[in-house]
Amino acid sequence: NEPASVNIELRSSEFAPYLFLLEADLDSSDPLNEIDRDRNPEFTDRARVTVNLEAGLYLIYVNSVDPDEEGDYMLSVDAATYRSQGRPAAQARTASGAKV
């Protein structure tokens, strides 16, 4: 499998979002390894991580900067992989969430 350029964006108008990307390695003694994180101080309504990822199991952790903040959010994941012919095969996913 070819690596994919992955853009993960978390948006909320109700809290300052904080985003973590973790790789899950179930065969390791430390099964969760942090790949990247974003708490963008310039934008209080969104956080973004863009990385190149190999095929595998990854977890996205949605949080707020302030532990007392909570609310609705939208999480988007866009990935593009490239075939040997040079044409991109794009995949996109969007999820919404709310306080449980």
Side-chain angles (χ1 to χ4, degrees):
N1 289 337
E2 295 290 320
S5 175
V6 180
N7 182 52
I8 304 165
E9 185 171 84
L10 171 62
R11 291 182 169 264
S12 178
S13 61
E14 298 182 21
F15 63 90
Y18 196 4
L19 175 66
F20 292 87
L21 176 62
L22 305 166
E23 180 180 24
D25 183 357
L26 303 178
D27 296 327
S28 171
S29 61
D30 184 18
L32 295 177
N33 302 308
E34 183 177 322
I35 302 294
D36 206 344
R37 69 171 70 190
D38 181 52
R39 180 187 77 82
N40 191 340
E42 294 178 34
F43 302 103
T44 58
D45 66 338
R46 69 178 175 258
R48 179 180 299 145
V49 169
T50 301
V51 293
N52 289 320
L53 299 175
E54 299 284 335
L57 180 61
Y58 299 91
L59 303 172
I60 300 169
Y61 183 75
V62 171
N63 202 358
S64 63
V65 173
D66 182 341
D68 294 327
E69 291 181 329
E70 55 188 39
D72 295 341
Y73 62 88
M74 180 174 288
L75 179 68
S76 299
V77 179
D78 296 317
T81 56
Y82 296 89
R83 299 181 189 147
S84 60
Q85 296 89 0
R87 291 177 288 186
Q91 304 169 354
R93 301 287 185 262
T94 300
S96 296
K99 177 187 159 203
V100 180

